[in-house]
Short mmCIF file of all heavy atoms in Angstrom, two decimals:
data_model
loop_
_atom_site.label_atom_id
_atom_site.label_comp_id
_atom_site.label_asym_id
_atom_site.label_seq_id
_atom_site.Cartn_x
_atom_site.Cartn_y
_atom_site.Cartn_z
N GLU A 317 180.12 67.82 -76.47
CA GLU A 317 179.73 66.51 -75.91
C GLU A 317 180.73 65.44 -76.35
O GLU A 317 181.49 65.64 -77.32
CB GLU A 317 178.30 66.20 -76.38
CG GLU A 317 177.71 64.89 -75.89
CD GLU A 317 177.71 64.70 -74.36
OE1 GLU A 317 178.81 64.50 -73.80
OE2 GLU A 317 176.61 64.72 -73.76
N ASN A 318 180.73 64.33 -75.64
CA ASN A 318 181.62 63.19 -75.87
C ASN A 318 181.73 62.82 -77.36
O ASN A 318 180.76 62.43 -78.00
CB ASN A 318 181.05 61.99 -75.09
CG ASN A 318 182.04 60.85 -74.98
OD1 ASN A 318 183.00 60.78 -75.72
ND2 ASN A 318 181.78 59.96 -74.03
N LEU A 319 182.95 62.92 -77.88
CA LEU A 319 183.19 62.63 -79.31
C LEU A 319 182.83 61.19 -79.67
O LEU A 319 182.40 60.90 -80.78
CB LEU A 319 184.68 62.84 -79.61
CG LEU A 319 185.19 64.28 -79.54
CD1 LEU A 319 186.71 64.28 -79.40
CD2 LEU A 319 184.77 65.07 -80.77
N ARG A 320 183.01 60.30 -78.71
CA ARG A 320 182.78 58.88 -79.01
C ARG A 320 181.30 58.49 -79.01
O ARG A 320 180.99 57.31 -79.15
CB ARG A 320 183.59 58.00 -78.06
CG ARG A 320 185.07 58.06 -78.34
CD ARG A 320 185.82 56.91 -77.70
NE ARG A 320 187.25 57.14 -77.77
CZ ARG A 320 188.15 56.50 -77.04
NH1 ARG A 320 187.75 55.59 -76.16
NH2 ARG A 320 189.44 56.75 -77.17
N PHE A 321 180.40 59.48 -78.85
CA PHE A 321 178.98 59.17 -79.07
C PHE A 321 178.78 58.88 -80.55
O PHE A 321 177.77 58.34 -80.96
CB PHE A 321 178.10 60.35 -78.62
CG PHE A 321 177.88 60.41 -77.13
CD1 PHE A 321 178.50 59.50 -76.27
CD2 PHE A 321 177.03 61.36 -76.56
CE1 PHE A 321 178.30 59.55 -74.90
CE2 PHE A 321 176.81 61.41 -75.19
CZ PHE A 321 177.45 60.50 -74.36
N TYR A 322 179.75 59.28 -81.36
CA TYR A 322 179.75 58.97 -82.80
C TYR A 322 180.81 57.91 -83.06
O TYR A 322 181.98 58.11 -82.73
CB TYR A 322 180.06 60.23 -83.62
CG TYR A 322 178.96 61.26 -83.61
CD1 TYR A 322 178.87 62.19 -82.58
CD2 TYR A 322 178.00 61.30 -84.61
CE1 TYR A 322 177.85 63.14 -82.54
CE2 TYR A 322 176.97 62.24 -84.59
CZ TYR A 322 176.91 63.15 -83.55
OH TYR A 322 175.90 64.08 -83.52
N GLN A 323 180.39 56.80 -83.67
CA GLN A 323 181.33 55.71 -84.00
C GLN A 323 182.42 56.22 -84.96
O GLN A 323 183.52 55.67 -85.00
CB GLN A 323 180.62 54.56 -84.72
CG GLN A 323 179.34 54.09 -84.07
CD GLN A 323 179.59 53.01 -83.04
OE1 GLN A 323 180.72 52.67 -82.76
NE2 GLN A 323 178.52 52.47 -82.46
N GLU A 324 182.06 57.26 -85.72
CA GLU A 324 183.00 57.81 -86.71
C GLU A 324 184.29 58.32 -86.06
O GLU A 324 185.32 58.40 -86.72
CB GLU A 324 182.35 58.98 -87.49
CG GLU A 324 181.24 58.57 -88.42
CD GLU A 324 179.86 58.62 -87.77
OE1 GLU A 324 179.77 58.40 -86.54
OE2 GLU A 324 178.89 58.86 -88.48
N GLU A 325 184.19 58.69 -84.79
CA GLU A 325 185.38 59.22 -84.10
C GLU A 325 186.51 58.17 -84.09
O GLU A 325 187.61 58.42 -84.57
CB GLU A 325 185.01 59.65 -82.67
CG GLU A 325 186.17 59.81 -81.68
CD GLU A 325 187.18 60.90 -82.00
OE1 GLU A 325 187.03 61.62 -83.00
OE2 GLU A 325 188.16 61.01 -81.24
N VAL A 326 186.21 56.98 -83.58
CA VAL A 326 187.29 55.98 -83.47
C VAL A 326 187.67 55.41 -84.83
O VAL A 326 188.76 54.87 -85.00
CB VAL A 326 186.94 54.82 -82.48
CG1 VAL A 326 186.89 55.32 -81.07
CG2 VAL A 326 185.66 54.15 -82.85
N LYS A 327 186.75 55.54 -85.81
CA LYS A 327 187.08 55.05 -87.15
C LYS A 327 187.96 56.03 -87.92
O LYS A 327 188.39 55.76 -89.03
CB LYS A 327 185.80 54.79 -87.95
CG LYS A 327 185.03 53.58 -87.43
CD LYS A 327 183.79 53.34 -88.25
CE LYS A 327 183.02 52.17 -87.68
NZ LYS A 327 181.58 52.29 -87.95
N GLY A 328 188.14 57.21 -87.35
CA GLY A 328 188.97 58.22 -88.01
C GLY A 328 188.29 58.80 -89.24
O GLY A 328 188.96 59.23 -90.20
N SER A 329 186.96 58.82 -89.23
CA SER A 329 186.17 59.23 -90.41
C SER A 329 186.53 60.63 -90.94
O SER A 329 186.64 61.60 -90.18
CB SER A 329 184.69 59.20 -90.02
OG SER A 329 183.94 60.11 -90.78
N GLU A 330 186.66 60.69 -92.27
CA GLU A 330 186.98 61.97 -92.94
C GLU A 330 185.81 62.95 -92.79
O GLU A 330 186.02 64.11 -92.45
CB GLU A 330 187.21 61.72 -94.45
CG GLU A 330 188.35 60.79 -94.78
CD GLU A 330 189.70 61.50 -94.86
OE1 GLU A 330 189.70 62.73 -94.94
OE2 GLU A 330 190.72 60.80 -94.84
N SER A 331 184.58 62.47 -93.06
CA SER A 331 183.45 63.40 -93.05
C SER A 331 183.19 63.93 -91.62
O SER A 331 182.88 65.11 -91.45
CB SER A 331 182.20 62.74 -93.63
OG SER A 331 181.85 61.63 -92.86
N PHE A 332 183.34 63.08 -90.63
CA PHE A 332 183.17 63.50 -89.23
C PHE A 332 184.25 64.53 -88.87
O PHE A 332 183.96 65.57 -88.26
CB PHE A 332 183.24 62.27 -88.32
CG PHE A 332 183.03 62.56 -86.86
CD1 PHE A 332 181.80 62.98 -86.38
CD2 PHE A 332 184.07 62.36 -85.95
CE1 PHE A 332 181.62 63.23 -85.01
CE2 PHE A 332 183.90 62.61 -84.59
CZ PHE A 332 182.67 63.05 -84.12
N SER A 333 185.48 64.26 -89.30
CA SER A 333 186.58 65.18 -89.02
C SER A 333 186.31 66.54 -89.65
O SER A 333 186.57 67.59 -89.04
CB SER A 333 187.90 64.65 -89.60
OG SER A 333 188.16 63.38 -89.12
N LYS A 334 185.79 66.49 -90.86
CA LYS A 334 185.51 67.74 -91.60
C LYS A 334 184.45 68.56 -90.85
O LYS A 334 184.58 69.78 -90.73
CB LYS A 334 185.02 67.39 -93.01
CG LYS A 334 185.36 68.42 -94.03
CD LYS A 334 185.15 67.91 -95.42
CE LYS A 334 185.41 69.03 -96.39
NZ LYS A 334 185.21 68.64 -97.76
N LYS A 335 183.43 67.88 -90.35
CA LYS A 335 182.38 68.58 -89.59
C LYS A 335 182.97 69.19 -88.31
O LYS A 335 182.67 70.33 -87.97
CB LYS A 335 181.26 67.60 -89.23
CG LYS A 335 180.37 67.28 -90.41
CD LYS A 335 179.30 66.28 -90.02
CE LYS A 335 178.70 65.67 -91.27
NZ LYS A 335 178.01 64.41 -91.02
N LEU A 336 183.82 68.43 -87.65
CA LEU A 336 184.46 68.97 -86.43
C LEU A 336 185.32 70.19 -86.76
O LEU A 336 185.37 71.16 -86.01
CB LEU A 336 185.36 67.90 -85.78
CG LEU A 336 184.71 66.76 -85.01
CD1 LEU A 336 185.78 65.75 -84.58
CD2 LEU A 336 183.96 67.27 -83.77
N SER A 337 185.97 70.13 -87.91
CA SER A 337 186.93 71.19 -88.26
C SER A 337 186.25 72.55 -88.46
O SER A 337 186.92 73.57 -88.45
CB SER A 337 187.73 70.80 -89.50
OG SER A 337 186.91 70.88 -90.64
N ARG A 338 184.91 72.54 -88.62
CA ARG A 338 184.20 73.82 -88.76
C ARG A 338 184.11 74.57 -87.43
O ARG A 338 183.62 75.69 -87.38
CB ARG A 338 182.78 73.56 -89.28
CG ARG A 338 182.76 73.04 -90.69
CD ARG A 338 181.35 73.04 -91.27
NE ARG A 338 181.34 72.23 -92.47
CZ ARG A 338 180.57 71.17 -92.67
NH1 ARG A 338 179.68 70.81 -91.76
NH2 ARG A 338 180.65 70.50 -93.79
N LEU A 339 184.58 73.93 -86.36
CA LEU A 339 184.39 74.51 -85.03
C LEU A 339 185.61 75.28 -84.51
O LEU A 339 185.71 75.57 -83.33
CB LEU A 339 183.99 73.41 -84.04
CG LEU A 339 182.80 72.55 -84.49
CD1 LEU A 339 182.55 71.41 -83.51
CD2 LEU A 339 181.54 73.41 -84.65
N GLY A 340 186.54 75.59 -85.40
CA GLY A 340 187.70 76.36 -84.94
C GLY A 340 188.53 76.89 -86.09
O GLY A 340 188.43 76.39 -87.23
N ASP A 341 189.34 77.92 -85.79
CA ASP A 341 190.24 78.48 -86.81
C ASP A 341 191.60 77.78 -86.73
O ASP A 341 192.31 77.68 -87.72
CB ASP A 341 190.46 79.98 -86.56
CG ASP A 341 189.14 80.73 -86.47
OD1 ASP A 341 188.35 80.61 -87.42
OD2 ASP A 341 188.91 81.40 -85.45
N VAL A 342 191.96 77.38 -85.51
CA VAL A 342 193.26 76.73 -85.29
C VAL A 342 192.99 75.39 -84.60
O VAL A 342 192.15 75.32 -83.69
CB VAL A 342 194.16 77.57 -84.34
CG1 VAL A 342 195.55 76.94 -84.21
CG2 VAL A 342 194.25 79.01 -84.80
#
Side-chain angles (χ1 to χ4, degrees):
E317 180 55 289
N318 194 342
L319 292 161
R320 289 197 191 163
F321 281 4
Y322 290 85
Q323 312 271 5
E324 291 92 329
E325 161 64 1
V326 292
K327 289 181 183 151
S329 152
E330 299 273 345
S331 61
F332 182 67
S333 304
K334 209 167 176 181
K335 285 178 196 161
L336 285 174
S337 73
R338 292 191 194 123
L339 308 175
D341 306 306
V342 185

